[in-house]
Amino acid sequence: MRIDVVTIFPEMFEAPLSLSLLGRAIDNGLLDVDVTNLRDFALDRHGTVDDAPFGGGPGMVMRCEPMFAAIESLRDRNSLERVILMSPRGRRLDQEIVSELAAQPDLVLVCPRYEGVDERVSRALCTDEISIGDYVLSGGELPALVVIDAISRMIPGIVGDWESVTTDSFYTGILGPPQYTRPAVFRDLEVPAVLREGNHAAIARWRRKEALRITRERRPDLLEFCSDDDRALLAEIEAESRGVASGINKENKT
Ligand code: SAH
């Protein structure tokens, strides 16, 4: 997959794109990310890409000419079918959007600064606007990196163990289960016995149940489309939280 980024701060992409999973994915050719410096398309030799807003008001607005020129310059290597403006008023990023974007052959991520970009860029050039949450950052670079990182996990081969993706929070539709590693006992804190006993079916059931328990506590809105198996586990959790001991519950069933 190919991703083109347009920014006035290409340096912000250097470390994140060279380290860890993303760095390896790019080295292995699974992901191709090119960062275009908007200043190369500036209006003058001082590198001007912004101007005061029409109608007055604070701050500066990014002008359309450099943005149009920068994005159109990508045409020989990018289909420009999905040109995404990072914007707090965009669709809020979630796993569904990430999966949809990961299925595209290529993307352009546009990273404004200042008060944002001239509206004509978003109306006439961008196909999507994406927000990473209801708060305001000082530029689109960190949001674009969030999008790139999330997408990269969906591209087969980038995360070494695909099971680690398919058991992630949200990928499964719910939050992820708790994880533990050695030591088995730290101070008086013990790792649940089931995880140490090697019964894979029991472990899978425990993980699903604990994932449901956390989701029920923190994000009950995600439980809407549960399977029948999940509903049975949720009923157990419900009973436990009402103070019915799970041991008694199990005995009653058998
Ligand atoms: N005045 C604008 C905010 C400008 S912040 C407003 O009120 O909407 C400067 C740039 O940072 C934005 O144009 C956008 O590209 C980026 N940005 C800020 N917060 C963001 C968010 N939550 N998601 C995605 N991009 C964001």
Side-chain angles (χ1 to χ4, degrees):
M1 172 177 201
R2 143 166 229 105
I3 301 179
D4 280 290
V5 177
V6 179
T7 173
I8 56 167
F9 291 124
E11 308 89 312
M12 284 186 74
F13 292 83
E14 282 168 15
L17 294 182
S18 64
L19 300 171
S20 188
L21 285 183
L22 277 176
R24 268 203 305 280
I26 291 170
D27 283 347
N28 296 341
L30 292 168
L31 184 65
D32 195 358
V33 183
D34 254 332
V35 182
T36 295
N37 190 341
L38 185 67
R39 297 241 188 247
D40 293 344
F41 299 85
L43 296 166
D44 53 30
R45 41 190 197 86
H46 307 297
T48 305
V49 292
D50 60 334
D51 212 330
F54 271 121
M60 300 295 268
V61 175
M62 287 189 134
R63 288 178 57 138
C64 26
E65 308 97 306
M67 278 291 187
F68 269 77
I71 295 166
E72 285 168 352
S73 80
L74 303 173
R75 199 162 263 150
D76 55 344
R77 54 175 200 243
N78 193 305
S79 70
L80 304 190
E81 264 164 40
R82 299 297 286 270
V83 180
I84 300 170
L85 183 69
M86 307 321 300
S87 157
R89 67 179 196 189
R91 256 200 311 166
R92 187 130 38 110
L93 190 66
D94 61 17
Q95 194 61 48
E96 199 183 328
I97 300 179
V98 168
S99 299
E100 187 215 313
L101 295 179
Q104 302 294 316
D106 55 21
L107 299 172
V108 180
L109 302 180
V110 182
C111 309
R113 283 256 148 190
Y114 318 122
E115 291 302 314
V117 71
D118 188 290
E119 185 71 12
R120 288 167 287 187
V121 171
S122 75
R123 293 279 161 99
L125 202 51
C126 295
T127 55
D128 304 69
E129 287 188 32
I130 287 182
S131 161
I132 62 160
D134 290 348
Y135 42 83
V136 174
L137 298 160
S138 28
E141 289 78 9
L142 292 172
L145 282 164
V146 168
V147 170
I148 295 171
D149 189 298
I151 285 177
S152 73
R153 296 182 64 79
M154 295 292 105
I155 300 175
I158 291 190
V159 177
D161 185 351
W162 185 246
E163 195 191 341
S164 121
V165 171
T166 57
T167 55
D168 272 344
S169 293
F170 305 111
Y171 190 90
T172 55
I174 62 175
L175 303 180
Q179 301 281 4
Y180 296 88
T181 185
R182 285 185 288 182
V185 182
F186 172 68
R187 300 194 176 158
D188 58 347
L189 305 168
E190 221 174 297
V191 173
V194 60
L195 297 179
R196 292 181 277 146
E197 286 161 0
N199 177 342
H200 296 295
I203 291 171
R205 185 179 194 279
W206 182 88
R207 288 198 168 133
R208 187 71 190 173
K209 186 170 171 183
E210 294 314 305
L212 285 163
R213 194 191 304 278
I214 291 178
T215 307
R216 176 177 171 274
E217 269 167 35
R218 302 186 186 176
R219 292 292 305 277
D221 57 299
L222 297 176
L223 293 176
E224 207 180 322
F225 303 106
C226 275
S227 66
D228 288 346
D229 284 351
D230 284 349
R231 295 216 176 281
L233 290 172
L234 281 164
E236 280 181 28
I237 295 166
E238 198 82 39
E240 285 162 22
S241 76
R242 282 200 306 265
V244 180
S246 59
I248 297 169
N249 212 17
K250 271 186 207 137
E251 270 166 31
N252 286 347
K253 267 195 215 151
T254 49

